[in-house]
């Protein structure tokens, strides 16, 4: 049944953009997109995770570990299957009566982990919270089109948009778009009560986190694991050793130098996907980086080939433009090389901006992820060559997030991915509330308008034209300086079956696949 649901949902992207009256029927038979199971096993999964999760904040992207926790504890109206297709989450059906109107019906007998029912009023409260910029939700860039949510009864309602949104269902499938109890709709309340496949049983600070299967989950009969024991391994080598030594069954963020060691070990599977991005962010509210010419100079100074080798041992590709999937209507090969490696041009741009002798700056990175440190070191050397003397600031990950959110940096090395596969993900890197995911204080109304035009386009030619215009603005204004794409890998032992790393940008949402994992005895 899951395959039938996936085929029907795969039609949605084009229907959303092109149809005036279409129906998307979401079968209630699927859970995480896997096959049916007679029940859970007796052994919990031992998961070596790359960082200790922070308290989850409603609607806020807190990095890969945060997304993983959201996929395990929560669900939204939509979800993703293991092939990266939008599938049913809490919704039983969604009817698009026109490009700005969606009618939803919830699955029957949904409950949150605290035993309270999941109702259409919770959907209304959650989605309208995410659509309000004042709440600081990372989802704002994709859900700001929500004009209102009309409740019909406890189990159904109508979502009214202010304009067409070709990626609307993709945004509803993002882990942070979870439907949560009304009491969780706040920035200072841990968002731990969900309607997902696992409940939070205990959190032993600095050691581990234990999840139990939620028997009232809508697809509980398909969840094979009785629970998950997540042990924290911030050191990459220690994480790999824990897997190879038999202390854990699966790990995330396999260190790139360990790829060959893992894949060459009998009984181990390395599951790598290409897609996540590396880039330089800027604090544009003060100092030299408020000048677009200085940001251009940085973009031309970066030796992207060196960065791929230094940080990823070749497991990536230089990125001199904006990543858009080749099968997307907005793709144009002419826009893949917005910035070449040109030290002379970079120096000339600095001189034009009034900095012929360069200047000093503080670059934010982190001590917890070696690849971000190595990327920062590569960029530091590149910028030194044009006269920008960079001092590195490398706190732990949670502090790096806090400093990024507050703009406590001049420039910063960042790693991430598009929030959705559609090129509208660019909006999340250039607009919306300030966050560690984008350049602090950056806002360009002309760029925002072109990105909105692309999002609302109802034919391929109009979409391509709008994004071409947007990328020309980005080439001049440089909201961020791209460095490279990279591979992102999980690894697991022979006991694990049913897991799959989601493709491309969606690799960071691979926690959805944990509902399909089973363990051999």
């Amino acid at each position: 049944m899951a395959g039938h649901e996936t085929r029907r949902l795969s039609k949605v992207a084009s229907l959303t953009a092109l149809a005036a009256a279409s129906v998307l029927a979401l079968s209630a038979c699927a859970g995480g997109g896997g096959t049916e199971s007679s029940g859970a096993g007796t052994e919990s999964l031992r998961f070596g995770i790359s960082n200790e999760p922070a308290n989850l904040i409603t609607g806020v992207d807190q990095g890969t570990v945060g997304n993983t926790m959201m996929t395990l504890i929560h669900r939204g109206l939509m979800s993703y299957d293991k092939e990266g297709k939008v599938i049913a989450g809490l919704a039983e059906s969604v009817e698009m009566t026109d490009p700005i109107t969606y009618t939803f019906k919830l699955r029957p007998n949904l409950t949150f982990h605290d035993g309270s029912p999941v109702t259409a009023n919770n959907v209304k409260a959650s989605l309208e919270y995410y659509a309000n910029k004042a709440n600081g939700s990372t989802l704002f860039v994709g859900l700001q089109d929500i004009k209102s949510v009309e409740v019909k009864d406890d189990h159904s309602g109508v979502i009214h948009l202010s304009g067409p949104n070709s990626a609307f269902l993709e945004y509803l499938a993002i882990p942070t778009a979870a439907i949560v109890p009304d009491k969780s709709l706040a920035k200072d309340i841990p968002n731990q009560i969900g309607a997902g496949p696992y409940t939070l049983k205990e959190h032993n600070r600095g050691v581990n986190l234990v999840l139990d299967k939620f028997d009232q989950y809508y697809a509980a009969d398909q969840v094979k694991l009785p629970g998950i024991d997540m042990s924290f391994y911030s050191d990459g080598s220690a994480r790999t050793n824990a897997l190879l030594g038999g202390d854990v069954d699966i790990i995330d963020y396999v260190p790139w130098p360990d790829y060959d060691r893992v894949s060459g070990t009998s009984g181990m599977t390395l599951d790598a996907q290409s897609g996540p991005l590396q880039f330089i962010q800027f604090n544009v509210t003060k100092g030299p980086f408020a000048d677009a010419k200085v940001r251009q100079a940085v973009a031309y100074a970066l030796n992207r080939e060196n960065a791929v080798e230094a940080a990823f041992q070749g497991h990536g590709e230089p990125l001199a433009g904006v990543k858009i999937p080749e099968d997307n209507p907005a793709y144009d090969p002419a826009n893949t090389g917005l910035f070449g490696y040109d030290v002379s041009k970079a120096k000339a741009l600095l001189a034009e901006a009034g900095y012929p002798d360069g200047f000093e700056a503080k670059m934010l990175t982190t001590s917890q992820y070696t690849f971000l440190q190595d990327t920062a070191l590569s960029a530091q050397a590149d910028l030194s060559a044009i006269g920008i003397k960079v001092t590195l600031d490398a706190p732990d990950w949670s502090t790096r997030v806090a400093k990024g959110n507050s703009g406590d940096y001049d420039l910063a090395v960042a790693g991430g991915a598009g929030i959705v596969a559609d090129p509208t993900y660019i909006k999340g890197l250039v607009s919306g509330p300030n966050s560690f995911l984008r350049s602090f204080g950056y806002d360009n109304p002309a760029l925002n308008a072109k990105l909105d035009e692309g999002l609302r386009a109802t034919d391929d030619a109009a979409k391509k034209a709008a994004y071409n215009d947007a990328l020309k603005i980005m080439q001049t204004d440089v909201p961020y300086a791209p460095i490279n794409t990279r591979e992102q890998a999980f690894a697991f032992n022979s006991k694990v079956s049913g897991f799959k790393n989601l493709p491309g940008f969606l690799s960071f949402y691979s926690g959805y696949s944990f509902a399909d994992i089973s363990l051999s005895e």
Side-chain angles (χ1 to χ4, degrees):
M1 297 176 77
H4 177 61
E5 177 180 19
T6 299
R7 287 194 298 273
R8 298 173 78 172
L9 272 156
S10 66
K11 301 177 182 178
V12 146
S14 59
L15 289 176
T16 303
L18 301 175
S22 300
V23 175
L24 169 63
L26 305 177
S27 167
C29 68
T35 56
E36 294 185 1
S37 169
S38 59
T42 59
E43 185 179 357
S44 291
L45 179 75
R46 300 169 301 164
F47 182 14
I49 197 165
S50 56
N51 202 3
E52 181 168 6
N55 285 332
L56 298 176
I57 302 172
T58 300
V60 175
D61 190 325
Q62 293 172 266
T64 308
V65 171
N67 277 320
T68 298
M69 291 301 302
M70 291 294 296
T71 61
L72 298 176
I73 294 175
H74 291 280
R75 278 297 180 272
L77 289 180
M78 305 295 159
S79 181
Y80 280 105
D81 71 4
K82 293 188 293 186
E83 305 305 320
K85 303 296 185 183
V86 177
I87 63 168
L90 299 180
E92 181 176 76
S93 65
V94 174
E95 177 184 352
M96 188 182 70
T97 55
D98 60 58
I100 61 171
T101 308
Y102 293 78
T103 299
F104 67 88
K105 182 180 180 181
L106 294 174
R107 297 174 188 263
N109 304 316
L110 292 173
T111 63
F112 290 114
H113 297 161
D114 62 2
S116 61
V118 179
T119 70
N121 281 309
N122 296 125
V123 175
K124 173 181 172 66
S126 294
L127 294 186
E128 291 184 349
Y129 180 88
Y130 301 142
N132 185 342
K133 186 175 183 179
N135 294 324
S137 170
T138 315
L139 297 159
F140 171 77
V141 295
L143 299 184
Q144 61 181 308
D145 291 321
I146 295 176
K147 187 176 180 180
S148 65
V149 180
E150 175 188 358
V151 173
K152 293 293 189 181
D153 54 45
D154 282 350
H155 305 293
S156 65
V158 182
I159 304 171
H160 300 281
L161 305 183
S162 59
N165 183 324
S166 60
F168 184 63
L169 293 180
E170 290 186 58
Y171 279 99
L172 292 182
I174 295 170
T176 47
I179 305 304
V180 301
D182 291 0
K183 62 185 178 182
S184 296
L185 297 173
K187 300 176 184 178
D188 55 353
I189 297 176
N191 182 15
Q192 298 176 344
I193 305 300
Y198 303 99
T199 63
L200 178 60
K201 179 180 180 181
E202 60 183 82
H203 187 170
N204 301 303
R205 296 290 177 182
V207 181
N208 73 329
L209 186 150
V210 179
L211 301 177
D212 281 347
K213 177 183 174 181
F214 179 46
D215 290 333
Q216 281 70 55
Y217 175 55
Y218 64 78
D221 61 334
Q222 297 176 32
V223 177
K224 291 90 169 176
L225 297 171
I228 302 174
D229 185 343
M230 304 171 68
S231 298
F232 314 139
Y233 293 89
S234 59
D235 180 82
S237 296
R239 195 161 59 252
T240 300
N241 290 337
L243 174 68
L244 299 182
D247 294 327
V248 298
D249 302 307
I250 187 169
I251 62 173
D252 69 345
Y253 265 107
V254 180
W256 292 267
D258 290 345
Y259 271 32
D260 290 343
R261 185 158 69 105
V262 171
S263 60
T265 300
S266 177
M268 295 294 166
T269 297
L270 179 78
D271 188 351
Q273 288 287 341
S274 179
L277 313 172
Q278 301 297 117
F279 48 94
I280 298 287
Q281 299 167 317
F282 307 97
N283 184 335
V284 305
T285 65
K286 61 182 180 179
F289 298 111
D291 189 327
K293 286 188 180 297
V294 176
R295 302 195 296 271
Q296 287 181 42
V298 171
Y300 284 106
L302 296 173
N303 187 327
R304 294 169 174 82
E305 296 278 358
N306 282 356
V308 171
E309 289 301 323
F312 306 103
Q313 289 70 53
H315 297 291
E317 297 290 338
L319 182 64
V322 175
K323 180 70 173 179
I324 295 178
E326 293 186 18
D327 61 353
N328 191 281
Y331 177 76
D332 187 337
N335 292 324
T336 58
L338 301 183
F339 308 103
Y341 175 46
D342 192 332
V343 173
S344 296
K345 185 169 185 175
K347 289 181 176 179
L349 285 164
L350 278 188
E352 289 178 32
Y355 301 99
D357 299 320
F359 54 86
E360 296 183 357
K362 180 176 69 174
M363 177 185 286
L364 181 62
T365 180
T366 178
S367 61
Q368 274 189 257
Y369 289 106
T370 302
F371 72 93
L372 288 175
Q373 296 178 53
D374 290 341
T375 302
L377 289 169
S378 180
Q380 182 185 43
D382 294 339
L383 297 181
S384 176
I386 64 170
I388 302 178
K389 302 172 183 62
V390 170
T391 301
L392 300 184
D393 179 18
D396 62 80
W397 178 247
S398 62
T399 303
R400 188 266 181 256
V401 170
K403 287 190 170 190
N405 288 337
S406 64
D408 186 8
Y409 63 90
D410 297 317
L411 69 169
V413 168
I419 192 170
V420 291
D422 187 88
T424 189
Y425 82 84
I426 300 168
K427 291 186 64 178
L429 299 178
V430 303
S431 66
N434 279 316
S435 81
F436 78 99
L437 295 169
R438 71 183 198 86
S439 292
F440 188 80
Y442 182 84
D443 187 58
N444 185 323
L447 175 57
N448 296 341
K450 285 298 178 182
L451 292 173
D452 285 339
E453 186 179 323
L455 178 65
R456 300 187 191 286
T458 56
D459 67 79
D460 291 352
K463 183 172 186 175
K464 185 173 184 177
Y467 280 105
N468 278 347
D469 289 344
L471 297 186
K472 289 176 183 176
I473 295 172
M474 294 178 71
Q475 186 176 29
T476 301
D477 210 35
V478 195
Y480 62 90
I483 304 175
N484 61 272
T485 62
R486 60 178 171 82
E487 291 183 355
Q488 183 89 358
F490 287 79
F492 45 91
N493 62 29
S494 58
K495 293 172 59 178
V496 175
S497 61
F499 174 82
K500 187 174 181 182
N501 190 359
L502 270 61
F505 288 164
L506 303 181
S507 175
F508 288 168
Y509 305 159
S510 294
Y512 279 132
S513 188
F514 276 66
D516 295 322
I517 290 179
S518 61
L519 289 176
S520 60
E521 300 295 335

